[in-house]
Amino acid sequence: MITIVFAAFLALAAMVAITDWRRGVLMLILVGVLQDPARKLTPGTPFLMTMSVVLIYAAIIIAIQAQLQSALADFTKRFAAVWAAFGITMFFIVLAAVNGLMTNGIALWRVPFASLFIYLAPLPAVLIGYLYIDREERLVTFIRVYCIVTSAAMVGTLLEYLRFDSRALGMVAQSGDYIRFLGDLQVRMLSGFYRGPDIMAWHAATLTCLAVMMLVRAGISRPAAFWSLAAAWGCFNTILSGRRKAIYMVAIFAAVFVWRYFRRLKSQQVAAFVIAALAIGFVVDQVASNQNSSVYAKAALATHEELAERLEGGLWGTIEQSGYLGQGLGVATQGTYHFATEDQVTQGVFGWQEGGLGKLAVELGVPGLLAAALLIWRALFMMNRIAMHPDVPGSSQIIRVALFALVLANIGNFLASAQAYSDPVLTLLTAFFAGALFGTARLDEQQPSPEPEIEPVKLQPTLAVVTD
C-alpha cells in the first residue's frame, strides 16, 4: 500500500515539475525525504526507489531544456576559466570510463556507465541552481522549505534513538543495531527515516548551517527564535548520527562564514550569531552530560592524526596499489555493485576507498585527479570573488558568503567520505547550491531598471479669439 501511495505522489510531483519547474525543485526536496522510508517499507527494499528523485530531476530538465541551453551559454561566457577546466576534467572522466571497461571487462559494462552517470548527473543541477535564483527571495524560500521539511524528517532520528519500533527507521535492509567501534567506544549509528547514517548526518549538518545563516540574516527579530531552535535541532541530530565528518562540516561552515563576513556583521547580527552559538553549545553540553548520550560526544573527538588520515583519504595507498592511471570508473562508486551479478561482484574489482582523494585517484587516475583539482581551484577562486563582493541591488553578501561556506564544507566532507555523494539527493543539492552561488553574480542585472522621471510638460498659452 505504501508503495502505491508513494508512486502516486511521485507522479504528482513529476507533473508539478513539468508544469512549474521552480515548484518542481521544491517537490524534489519532498521526494528526497520520502523515498527512503518508502523504500524501507516496501518488501525487498528495491534499490531503484533510492533513485526516485532522479525522475523529478529529469522532469525539471525536460521542462526547461531551452532555458538550460541559454544558461549554459551565459555561464560559459561569464566563467570561461571554470568552463575550460571542466572541459579538461571531462576528458579524463571519459578516459576513466574506457579504463573501467578495460579493467573489468565488457561483462561489467553497467558499472562504469552507472558511475559515469553519477559523475555527470550533477552538471544540469548546477545550471538549475544558476537559473533558479532569479531573485534572492526565491532562494530564501527554498532554504525555508528545506529547513522545515528536514526538521520534520529529523524526528525519525530521535524515535530511533528512543528505540521506537518501525521498519521506516534505521539503516535500509539491515535489522538490529549498526554499531561502530572507536577504540573503547561503541557507538550506535542512527539513520532515522533516511537510508543510512551518512545521509542523515549530511542533512542534519546542512540544516544546522542554513539555520545559522538564516538566524544571522534575521538578526534580533521574531523569526530568530525559530532559526535558533532549528540550528540546535540540526546540531543535536548531527551528533546523534555518530558521523564525525558531519560535525566538522558544520565547523568548516562556521569558520568560513565568520572569516568572510566578520567585518560586515552588524550589532544585531553579532547578537544573533551569539544566540546560535549558545543554542548549539547548550545542545552539546546536554548530550555530553547525559549518561546515555555522552558516548556520542566522546566519539565526536578526533586527534590531528585521525583528521589528517581522513583528509588524505587513502591517496598514497591507492597509487601504490592501482598505479598512476587507476582502475577506471565504478571501482569506488557506492551502489555500482547493484548493476552487477553476484558472480561479477566476486570476480570484479571494487575498491576500498572511502575518502575523496582516494576515490578520485583509483577511478580517474592521478592525471584525472589533478584535472579535478584544477577545476575545483578555479571554481573556488571565482566563488571567493563573488562572496567578497558587497551588497548590491537584489543580492546580499550574507547569502553569497553562506553559499560559499556551504560549498567549502561539502568539499571537506567529500574529502573525508566521498561515498555519501553517490546518493543522488546529496549530490544534486550540493550542485544546486554551487550553481545558485554562481547565479548571484547576475542578480543585480536582473533588477528592473528605474523608470525615468517624467518631465512636466510646459503648456504654451493660447490666445482666445472672441468674436462679436
Side-chain angles (χ1 to χ4, degrees), residues 136 212-213 215-219 253-270 273 384 386-392 395-405:
E136 186 171 281
V212 169
M213 183 274 292
L215 175 59
V216 176
R217 181 176 182 268
F253 172 87
V256 175
F257 187 80
V258 172
W259 165 56
R260 267 284 157 250
Y261 199 71
F262 180 77
R263 295 181 180 179
R264 297 276 301 174
L265 285 174
K266 301 176 182 178
S267 57
Q268 287 192 352
Q269 293 176 328
V270 172
F273 199 86
N384 185 46
I386 295 173
M388 289 175 61
H389 205 280
D391 294 348
V392 294
S395 178
S396 62
Q397 187 181 9
I398 190 172
I399 292 289
R400 296 194 297 274
V401 169
L403 290 174
F404 179 56

Side-chain angles (χ1 to χ4, degrees), residues 170-188:
M171 202 167 175
V172 67
Q174 177 174 321
S175 58
D177 293 340
Y178 175 26
I179 304 297
R180 185 184 184 191
F181 296 92
L182 295 172
D184 297 332
L185 299 176
Q186 296 183 21
V187 184
R188 181 164 68 101

Side-chain angles (χ1 to χ4, degrees), residues 38-235:
R39 178 187 175 187
K40 296 175 189 178
L41 295 172
T42 301
T45 62
F47 166 73
L48 285 178
M49 291 190 71
T50 302
M51 308 297 289
S52 299
V53 71
V54 176
L55 176 63
I56 313 303
Y57 182 46
I60 295 172
I61 294 176
I62 293 172
I64 56 170
Q65 292 183 60
Q67 292 172 266
L68 286 177
Q69 294 176 7
S70 176
L72 179 61
D74 184 69
F75 186 95
T76 55
K77 182 179 179 180
R78 289 177 184 271
F79 310 109
V82 177
W83 180 248
F86 168 74
I88 298 173
T89 306
M90 186 64 207
F91 171 76
F92 286 104
I93 290 176
V94 173
L95 283 184
V98 176
N99 189 18
L101 283 176
M102 296 175 61
T103 299
N104 299 315
I106 301 298
L108 280 174
W109 67 271
R110 294 180 183 86
V111 173
F113 274 89
S115 181
L116 180 64
F117 172 79
I118 292 174
Y119 271 92
L120 299 184
L123 301 181
V126 174
L127 295 178
I128 290 173
Y130 188 73
L131 276 173
Y132 185 86
I133 185 168
D134 57 344
R135 51 190 176 86
E136 186 171 281
E137 191 58 35
R138 183 91 65 183
L139 181 63
V140 172
T141 300
F142 174 88
I143 292 173
R144 288 195 186 105
V145 172
Y146 175 83
C147 289
I148 292 172
V149 172
T150 304
S151 296
M154 288 297 158
V155 173
T157 308
L158 181 60
L159 293 176
E160 185 185 2
Y161 174 74
L162 297 175
R163 295 195 176 277
F164 186 85
D165 188 18
S166 173
R167 286 189 301 160
L169 301 174
M171 202 167 175
V172 67
Q174 177 174 321
S175 58
D177 293 340
Y178 175 26
I179 304 297
R180 185 184 184 191
F181 296 92
L182 295 172
D184 297 332
L185 299 176
Q186 296 183 21
V187 184
R188 181 164 68 101
M189 312 292 283
L190 302 178
S191 305
F193 289 128
Y194 297 93
R195 68 184 179 92
D198 284 348
I199 312 302
M200 189 278 287
W202 185 91
H203 284 286
T206 303
L207 170 63
T208 306
C209 296
L210 293 178
V212 169
M213 183 274 292
M214 292 295 289
L215 175 59
V216 176
R217 181 176 182 268
I220 304 300
S221 61
R222 184 176 298 178
F226 170 79
W227 293 118
S228 60
L229 291 175
W233 177 238
C235 181

Side-chain angles (χ1 to χ4, degrees), residues 6 27-28 33 57 60 81 124 126 132 221 223 238 270 274 279 289 298 347 372 431 455:
F6 177 71
M27 296 299 289
L28 188 145
V33 171
Y57 182 46
I60 295 172
V126 174
Y132 185 86
S221 61
T238 301
V270 172
V274 172
S289 59
K298 296 176 182 177
Q347 297 172 6
E455 297 183 1

